[in-house]
Amino acid sequence: VKINGVLAPLYSVSDVNGQQINLQVPFEAAGSTDPLDIEISQNGLSAWVTQVKTKSTAPGIFTVDGARGAIQHAADYGLVTPASPAEKGEVVVLYGTGMGWVNPAVPSGMPAPPAPLSVTTMTPTVTIGRQGAEVLFSGPVSGFVGLYQLNVRVPQNVASGDQDVVVSFPPYWECCDVAMSLRTVRVDSKPVKLFVR
């Protein structure tokens, strides 16, 4: 698969309700043009498939069951669950994707190295139960491709119980609406649940 002429790292090609290709959109293809051209080649035959619009970030938090976040206690890396809730003031670790550029850069398709640690070039805003949470670290997980880690302190003033966690990045300008004018687009993850005691 080529995206704007750049080979995309492939992670799986399978027959799931037709053909499915899992890939990483290469950083090297971003910023050249938008929308991006996607071309698929197999056995010497190529087909232009589609164009896709891009964003500098498109955050998503992984879940363990479709609703509850893949969130760990930073102290022991145990999973946060209703039976093992997060405490107010505790540091928890969120795992996600789509957090954008990092510095130092990690080449597309390569796992993030253990040193030096890369960090996202933009620090996200994280809310837990609509309360701002302190972000202590935001960057790729060493040894993985495209997997990001956010170390976040649970706010002291958050309510107890199941709370929504949302990762947000600064809004960006997008062209164009029906009137051909620029519009501001928010960049928020879908909420996931975190149980707080």
Side-chain angles (χ1 to χ4, degrees):
V1 177
K2 289 184 180 178
I3 299 179
N4 274 13
V6 178
L7 285 171
L10 300 182
Y11 297 103
S12 79
V13 178
S14 57
D15 188 3
V16 178
N17 298 325
Q19 293 297 316
Q20 176 176 310
I21 301 173
N22 295 347
L23 57 86
Q24 180 187 25
V25 177
F27 286 109
E28 298 83 357
S32 49
T33 61
D34 196 38
L36 302 177
D37 285 320
I38 298 179
E39 177 187 349
I40 298 177
S41 300
Q42 184 176 8
N43 297 327
L45 298 175
S46 293
W48 176 81
V49 178
T50 188
Q51 290 185 319
V52 293
K53 293 185 72 62
T54 62
K55 298 177 185 177
S56 57
T57 58
I61 306 169
F62 290 116
T63 65
V64 293
D65 61 3
R68 195 160 301 286
I71 302 171
Q72 295 176 315
H73 299 278
D76 63 5
Y77 293 99
L79 191 63
V80 175
T81 65
S84 179
E87 301 286 342
K88 296 171 186 179
E90 175 188 2
V91 176
V92 294
V93 181
L94 286 66
Y95 294 96
T97 189
M99 310 290 176
W101 295 94
V102 297
N103 185 27
V106 177
S108 296
M110 298 300 294
L117 280 178
S118 295
V119 295
T120 56
T121 57
M122 290 188 291
T123 302
T125 300
V126 176
T127 57
I128 299 175
R130 297 189 177 173
Q131 304 298 316
E134 180 185 7
V135 178
L136 304 169
F137 174 78
S138 172
V141 180
S142 66
F144 290 87
V145 177
L147 177 64
Y148 290 80
Q149 172 181 332
L150 296 142
N151 295 1
V152 177
R153 188 176 306 282
V154 178
Q156 291 284 357
N157 57 344
V158 70
S160 297
D162 254 339
Q163 300 300 326
D164 283 340
V165 179
V166 176
V167 175
S168 304
F169 281 90
Y172 68 95
W173 290 96
E174 179 181 80
C175 183
C176 289
D177 61 15
V178 176
M180 294 305 290
S181 59
L182 290 172
R183 62 181 176 190
T184 303
V185 178
R186 287 187 51 91
V187 186
D188 298 336
S189 69
K190 179 181 172 184
V192 299
K193 296 294 183 187
L194 172 71
F195 198 84
V196 178
R197 178 162 38 208

